[in-house]
Amino acid sequence: MSQLMNTTIGMLLETKASDIPNNDALVYVDRGLRLSYSEFNETCRHVAKALIGLGVKRGDHVAIWASNMPEWVTTQFATGKMGAVLVTVNTNYQARELAYLLKQSDSKTLILMESYKGVSYLDIIYEILPELKTAIPGQLQSETFPHLKNVIVLSEKHYPGMLNWQDLLTYADQVTDATLDQRLKQLDPYDVINMQYTSGTTGFPKGVMLTHHNLINTGKHAGEGMNFTYKDRLCIPVPFFHCFGCVLGTLVCVTSGATMVPVQEFNVEDVLTSIEKERCTAVHGVPTMFIAELNDPAYSSYDLSSLRTGIMAGSTCPIEVMKKVSDDMGANELTIVYGQTETSPGITQTRTSDSLDVRVQTVGRAMPQIEVKIVDPSTRQEVPLGVQGEICCRGYNVMKGYYKNQEATDNTIDEDGWLYTGDLAVMDEAGNCTITGRLKDMIIRGGENIYPREVEEFLYTHPALLDVQVIGVPDEKYGEEVMAWIRVKEGMEIEKSALIAYCKGKIAHYKIPRYIEVCEEFPMTASGKVQKFKLKEQAINKMKTL
């Protein structure tokens, strides 16, 4: 059985820099940036010393609000060396959400980029923190955010009240290597080192506390699931602020000595160019990313022959898309990882040796050293194989808890250490799990339970459909009715009546969508998850006007 690693993120990188100093660690194709493990380690040590020089202590919270910039990944490993807790901020956050996170997380330092997709982060921070404009950099005093002292902008420019990145780096001169090494040795693998906020589709987002031990071992085992070695090169277009990017991406690479090839912000051309130029052997993505890549007009002009594997995750993986990635892109060892932020994030994974059927129809079996069971949601008693229930797990991957929210922690993790995911699944004799939906997404139509995933998978078989999301909408007669939001492939058309006719005789009548809406795109989170609750809101508003 695969063994657990007992180290910290900082020491992990030190070890790799010693073992494979000349191997590429970090490559940005668009920036012409290439750092070996030795160079990357030194860069991270320099940033760690700068943070210590700035006065950041072990256990202090450092929030980072930026896309996949080089400074993001160096900050991840720098905080892992000097013991500050990295608080990751969703790049799509607006003023209200940022203010909530900074206050709830007790962040002492905020690192931010100037703007993202036309939104000025500078305007937002000055809006929620007007006293920053007159503050001395590094000496912020705020009644609203009493913990926040430092704001650092990822820019060469200077802005009122903020240090820029170069200003920060000068603080490293005040700290010796011996001081950093002493701090590094004090850290414990079971220290919380990362906090990520759940999407907050219901209620306020919760801060998930994750340890070195959680993150390193998830990275190690996910890498082993793809047969990763130091020879692999991983294109990472998924956001670092999410576990998919900063665990299944960066830590998968560093635990195996592989090369990180990030894409700063998802763009099909940048992804395909990075794979081709760096001969990437692996690429990660959520299904919508792979759909965009496969349907790009210039797709066939790229040489993707180096691809072997990767991870598709983040939301339900349509079987037809998985087949195309395996057959057309050549990533025939692509794996599926299922999990959530609270599980660092992996619970199950398909293996490269699994048959195509297993890899397209299930999310695989428990990752090493993790227990998985399926229980009746109402009684929490384990159900027999083949029976649907809530999927639960126990092991090294389970979070330490929600920050300052013991009640929510207790509702999620029981006294025996089992974490309840809120997802519905079925397990087969081999231990492979099929996710059938979210407990809260289930549609109840006239007493019949309908799982959107099942209807979506059927609709994907229609040749004109690019993407589909199924939701339940209110209905006076049945309580709820089935609605399908669809995206149609370029150059193709489909009549709603024809799609309904396509369903008849193939799926039960009560599962056939009563309502069908065509759209150009779905509302998404920054991590690539479709926001079904927003589709539901749009549907209800449309129905009110009918």
Side-chain angles (χ1 to χ4, degrees):
M1 180 182 280
S2 178
Q3 296 302 304
L4 294 176
M5 295 178 76
N6 190 41
T7 188
T8 62
I9 288 171
M11 285 305 300
L12 171 70
L13 183 55
E14 296 281 342
T15 301
K16 291 299 173 184
S18 172
D19 292 347
I20 46 170
N22 300 320
N23 208 48
D24 283 346
L26 183 65
V27 177
Y28 277 81
V29 171
D30 59 336
R31 293 170 177 254
L33 174 68
R34 186 178 303 274
L35 296 176
S36 67
Y37 266 92
S38 176
E39 292 166 336
F40 180 59
N41 186 51
E42 282 307 311
T43 301
C44 295
R45 285 181 64 88
H46 194 71
V47 176
K49 288 193 290 183
L51 290 168
I52 293 173
L54 187 62
V56 180
K57 297 180 170 55
R58 175 182 176 182
D60 281 352
H61 291 180
V62 175
I64 184 162
W65 192 28
S67 58
N68 291 7
M69 300 171 73
E71 294 89 348
W72 206 112
V73 68
T74 53
T75 300
Q76 178 187 3
F77 286 89
T79 51
K81 287 180 179 296
M82 51 72 63
V85 178
L86 188 69
V87 181
T88 64
V89 187
N90 188 316
T91 47
N92 282 344
Y93 271 9
Q94 299 296 312
R96 182 174 174 273
E97 296 155 315
L98 178 68
Y100 170 81
L101 180 143
L102 289 176
K103 193 165 186 178
Q104 206 279 335
S105 68
D106 300 325
S107 287
K108 182 174 182 176
T109 299
L110 170 65
I111 301 170
L112 76 164
M113 66 194 303
E114 292 169 293
S115 64
Y116 175 75
K117 292 189 174 178
V119 175
S120 170
Y121 284 5
L122 300 172
D123 288 349
I124 289 176
I125 193 67
Y126 285 131
E127 176 189 337
I128 67 171
L129 199 60
E131 54 268 57
L132 184 63
K133 284 191 172 177
T134 55
I136 298 170
Q139 297 179 33
L140 176 66
Q141 299 289 328
S142 168
E143 284 188 20
T144 311
F145 307 100
H147 291 270
L148 192 60
K149 299 300 173 196
N150 312 301
V151 179
I152 300 160
V153 62
L154 298 173
S155 172
E156 293 179 358
K157 297 178 185 175
H158 283 92
Y159 295 96
M162 303 185 201
L163 299 168
N164 70 13
W165 188 252
Q166 287 303 317
D167 296 332
L168 169 67
L169 295 182
T170 62
Y171 282 85
D173 298 339
Q174 304 172 17
V175 179
T176 64
D177 283 320
T179 300
L180 174 59
D181 289 337
Q182 184 180 11
R183 177 78 68 92
L184 189 58
K185 288 170 186 169
Q186 289 171 349
L187 305 187
D188 187 282
Y190 293 92
D191 288 342
V192 173
I193 199 64
N194 185 250
M195 256 170 57
Q196 302 196 24
Y197 277 75
T198 56
S199 55
T201 53
T202 55
F204 289 104
K206 298 185 286 288
V208 177
M209 297 186 290
L210 301 171
T211 67
H212 298 269
H213 192 71
N214 291 145
L215 302 172
I216 287 172
N217 285 295
T218 300
K220 173 182 186 282
H221 289 136
E224 288 174 354
M226 294 183 285
N227 294 327
F228 249 47
T229 72
Y230 69 93
K231 295 180 180 178
D232 281 292
R233 308 173 76 78
L234 172 62
C235 180
I236 312 172
V238 291
F240 285 155
F241 74 76
H242 190 277
C243 267
F244 199 173
C246 69
V247 184
L248 300 182
T250 59
L251 281 169
V252 157
C253 288
V254 177
T255 52
S256 57
T259 304
M260 301 173 269
V261 186
V263 173
Q264 183 165 320
E265 291 159 23
F266 177 73
N267 173 289
V268 171
E269 183 182 346
D270 291 344
V271 174
L272 298 177
T273 299
S274 294
I275 294 169
E276 180 179 73
K277 287 196 172 177
E278 283 303 312
R279 306 301 296 152
C280 290
T281 58
V283 60
H284 286 355
V286 297
T288 50
M289 289 178 176
F290 283 108
I291 290 168
E293 290 152 16
L294 288 162
N295 287 277
D296 186 76
Y299 169 76
S300 59
S301 67
Y302 290 94
D303 178 4
L304 308 179
S305 59
S306 57
L307 277 181
R308 173 181 69 81
T309 186
I311 292 172
M312 193 189 295
S315 61
T316 302
C317 306
I319 290 169
E320 295 304 313
V321 176
M322 183 69 177
K323 284 179 179 173
K324 284 183 180 175
V325 174
S326 184
D327 296 343
D328 296 356
M329 289 183 98
N332 56 10
E333 294 184 4
L334 190 79
T335 69
I336 300 282
V337 170
Y338 159 75
Q340 51 190 205
T341 307
E342 290 87 341
T343 60
S344 320
I347 296 175
T348 67
Q349 184 177 18
T350 60
R351 308 311 200 260
T352 57
S353 57
D354 286 336
S355 68
L356 183 62
D357 280 349
V358 168
R359 288 191 290 122
V360 299
Q361 293 177 11
T362 80
V363 292
R365 57 191 183 278
M367 294 172 76
Q369 306 272 17
I370 295 172
E371 298 173 84
V372 173
K373 67 178 180 180
I374 313 289
V375 303
D376 183 314
S378 55
T379 65
R380 290 194 165 179
Q381 295 299 305
E382 195 164 354
V383 299
L385 293 175
V387 175
Q388 178 177 264
E390 183 178 3
I391 186 168
C392 309
C393 72
R394 181 168 67 178
Y396 69 81
N397 61 328
V398 172
M399 66 173 178
K400 207 151 195 177
Y402 295 116
Y403 185 62
K404 297 194 303 189
N405 196 338
Q406 191 60 46
E407 182 183 356
T409 303
D410 292 341
N411 287 337
T412 305
I413 304 170
D414 71 16
E415 61 274 13
D416 294 321
W418 287 98
L419 181 138
Y420 292 79
T421 64
D423 286 327
L424 296 166
V426 175
M427 185 187 290
D428 67 16
E429 296 80 4
N432 292 311
C433 296
T434 301
I435 305 300
T436 51
R438 288 286 291 169
L439 274 171
K440 66 174 185 284
D441 285 345
M442 186 174 72
I443 302 166
I444 304 176
R445 180 193 181 276
E448 296 278 6
N449 291 350
I450 301 168
Y451 300 98
R453 168 78 192 271
E454 181 187 0
V455 183
E456 288 163 359
E457 289 292 1
F458 171 73
L459 292 174
Y460 272 118
T461 63
H462 192 288
L465 289 196
L466 178 66
D467 207 352
V468 58
Q469 296 292 326
V470 170
I471 60 170
V473 291
D475 183 78
E476 284 188 13
K477 182 177 180 181
Y478 293 107
E480 280 189 296
E481 265 291 5
V482 180
M483 180 177 194
W485 287 80
I486 63 172
R487 294 172 61 209
V488 181
K489 289 178 181 173
E490 196 171 334
M492 301 187 81
E493 293 180 4
I494 182 166
E495 292 290 330
K496 295 177 186 179
S497 58
L499 186 57
I500 289 170
Y502 180 78
C503 297
K504 286 182 176 173
K506 300 190 182 87
I507 58 174
H509 70 90
Y510 62 87
K511 297 177 185 175
I512 297 174
R514 180 175 173 190
Y515 305 102
I516 295 170
E517 281 291 332
V518 180
C519 62
E520 291 294 318
E521 56 186 22
F522 301 132
M524 310 282 281
T525 67
S527 54
K529 291 185 179 179
V530 176
Q531 295 173 304
K532 283 195 171 185
F533 73 98
K534 286 193 176 177
L535 289 175
K536 196 163 190 167
E537 286 171 4
Q538 290 173 26
I540 291 169
N541 288 334
K542 273 180 178 285
M543 292 166 76
K544 283 178 183 173
T545 62
L546 294 178

